Amino acid sequence: MSNMQPQTIRLNRGRWKNLEDFERKLAEQGDELYIYAGCFGGTRRTRQKVIVPKRCWKIILILPKGSNDLDRVTAATNVIAVSMPNTTTSSTDWTQFTSTVKAIETATGFDFFSKLPNKIEKAIETKPSSKKEVLRSP
């Protein structure tokens, strides 16, 4: 499998979909998005023997349109990180599951944004996510 992960229906049609809708709003307002997504944990298997993850995560780096993207990332760059339980919980509010990039790195073993200068990398990986910081007034 590629570009997919097993998700419960409630996650896929609820919190995850609402986050994707929010990503579209950001793109429509003119932002450029760098998106990483994945999952971790779990031992339960489907009948097709696919492991069902315990959590699904996403990291969204948000930049205003421009060029030389790597040079435009600063300590003030907005980033959203979420780690959602892959359960049948009925909550559709993805903001209840915000995290930090650092927490997702710890859980997954990945090292995001390693091409950035250390000071900038540390700043964006440890800042809390905020939906309202990235939405501009219409």
Side-chain angles (χ1 to χ4, degrees), residues 12-30:
N12 185 264
R13 294 182 185 169
R15 299 178 299 278
W16 200 262
K17 178 193 175 298
N18 290 342
L19 178 57
E20 288 175 336
D21 290 344
F22 182 71
E23 292 167 36
R24 273 188 278 290
K25 282 182 188 175
L26 293 174
E28 288 168 359
Q29 75 179 17

Side-chain angles (χ1 to χ4, degrees), residues 32 34 36 61 63-64 66-75 77 112-117 120-121 124:
E32 295 179 9
Y34 284 85
Y36 301 91
L61 180 84
L63 290 174
S67 57
N68 299 323
D69 293 353
L70 191 58
D71 293 335
R72 292 184 301 124
V73 178
T74 69
T77 297
F112 300 100
F113 311 121
S114 60
K115 298 288 184 192
L116 295 172
I120 294 173
E121 179 185 10
I124 65 172

Side-chain angles (χ1 to χ4, degrees), residues 44-61:
R44 185 173 64 87
R45 294 180 180 266
T46 67
R47 285 183 225 141
Q48 295 79 23
K49 301 180 182 173
V50 174
I51 294 176
V52 178
K54 285 188 178 182
R55 298 194 78 83
C56 297
W57 57 266
K58 190 175 277 196
I59 297 169
I60 308 161
L61 180 84

Side-chain angles (χ1 to χ4, degrees):
M1 287 189 286
S2 141
N3 195 31
M4 58 188 284
Q5 58 190 6
Q7 292 180 340
T8 63
I9 290 172
R10 290 269 178 131
L11 174 62
N12 185 264
R13 294 182 185 169
R15 299 178 299 278
W16 200 262
K17 178 193 175 298
N18 290 342
L19 178 57
E20 288 175 336
D21 290 344
F22 182 71
E23 292 167 36
R24 273 188 278 290
K25 282 182 188 175
L26 293 174
E28 288 168 359
Q29 75 179 17
D31 289 317
E32 295 179 9
L33 310 176
Y34 284 85
I35 302 170
Y36 301 91
C39 52
F40 63 89
T43 56
R44 185 173 64 87
R45 294 180 180 266
T46 67
R47 285 183 225 141
Q48 295 79 23
K49 301 180 182 173
V50 174
I51 294 176
V52 178
K54 285 188 178 182
R55 298 194 78 83
C56 297
W57 57 266
K58 190 175 277 196
I59 297 169
I60 308 161
L61 180 84
I62 305 158
L63 290 174
K65 280 203 176 189
S67 57
N68 299 323
D69 293 353
L70 191 58
D71 293 335
R72 292 184 301 124
V73 178
T74 69
T77 297
N78 286 315
V79 71
I80 293 175
V82 297
S83 179
M84 301 180 195
N86 193 18
T87 62
T88 58
T89 182
S90 60
S91 172
T92 59
D93 181 7
W94 63 265
T95 64
Q96 292 179 351
F97 303 98
T98 58
S99 182
T100 63
V101 174
K102 192 65 179 165
I104 293 172
E105 285 181 331
T106 299
T108 64
F110 294 130
D111 183 12
F112 300 100
F113 311 121
S114 60
K115 298 288 184 192
L116 295 172
N118 287 339
K119 187 175 180 178
I120 294 173
E121 179 185 10
K122 183 177 180 180
I124 65 172
E125 288 182 349
T126 58
K127 73 166 52 175
S129 300
S130 174
K131 177 181 179 178
K132 64 183 167 187
E133 282 183 14
V134 296
L135 274 181
R136 294 192 285 269
S137 300

